[in-house]
Amino acid sequence: MQRIMSHNEQDTYKAGNEIAKTLQKGDVICLTGDLGAGKTTLSKAIAKGLNIKEIVTSPTFTIVKEYEGDLPLYHFDVYRMEGIEDMYEMGFEEYLFGEGVCLIEWADKISEILPQNSIWIHMDYGEEIEERIITITGLGVIL
């Protein structure tokens, strides 16, 4: 397990860039944390670190957005998913075994169908308004 203290958005972007440097085809990044804890900010930072030029937004209503960079990024937001069946119906397994990296916000909602070697990143609020505590766990602890 690794813990990173982010004092502001710039620190979160630095952390995301470092995470992106370690990613490989087939990696699954599982993001968890309360609303507003910084999951989408960290997602944007990882995308930037993968040299994705598009503006990255939360795919809350589309469930998944695909981006091209050094590696394809499949950005999921499963907050509104009704159940695991919805993931299978949308072809989730094709993304898991695709050519890129899966980044899943609210991943705890579908944890039972995620690979055991997934990288879990939990975002917590710190003591100050902009502070975030980023905790990374999993078989592939990356930093």
Side-chain angles (χ1 to χ4, degrees):
M1 176 173 72
Q2 179 165 3
R3 186 163 286 161
I4 300 167
M5 178 61 77
S6 171
H7 299 284
N8 51 46
E9 192 170 297
Q10 291 81 12
D11 286 352
T12 300
Y13 264 83
K14 287 177 191 171
N17 189 54
E18 290 301 312
I19 291 167
K21 288 179 186 177
T22 69
L23 296 177
Q24 301 174 27
K25 170 185 162 184
D27 282 343
V28 177
I29 306 292
C30 303
L31 296 177
T32 62
D34 291 334
L35 278 170
K39 294 179 296 296
T40 301
T41 298
L42 186 63
S43 297
K44 290 177 182 183
I46 291 170
K48 185 175 181 181
L50 291 173
N51 291 314
I52 291 169
K53 305 299 181 210
E54 293 176 67
I55 295 173
V56 173
T57 58
S58 180
T60 302
F61 296 101
T62 58
I63 310 302
V64 65
K65 289 186 180 178
E66 298 180 36
Y67 300 98
E68 289 298 321
D70 294 341
L71 286 169
L73 179 67
Y74 312 124
H75 183 197
F76 293 85
D77 183 329
V78 298
Y79 183 75
R80 298 195 189 305
M81 294 301 289
E82 295 289 326
I84 301 299
E85 313 80 43
D86 292 345
M87 296 301 288
Y88 289 119
E89 287 175 14
M90 68 172 296
F92 181 62
E93 289 177 313
E94 291 178 35
Y95 290 104
L96 280 179
F97 302 108
E99 296 297 312
V101 171
C102 289
L103 191 151
I104 307 163
E105 296 187 37
W106 300 99
D108 47 329
K109 293 180 70 104
I110 61 166
S111 61
E112 61 266 26
I113 64 169
L114 296 173
Q116 286 187 351
N117 64 340
S118 296
I119 300 162
W120 288 83
I121 302 175
H122 184 74
M123 306 285 297
D124 267 322
Y125 292 101
E127 291 182 16
E128 300 296 323
I129 292 174
E130 288 191 39
E131 277 186 345
R132 298 297 185 266
I133 302 163
I134 302 168
T135 306
I136 305 170
T137 57
L139 290 178
V141 174
I142 49 184
L143 297 177

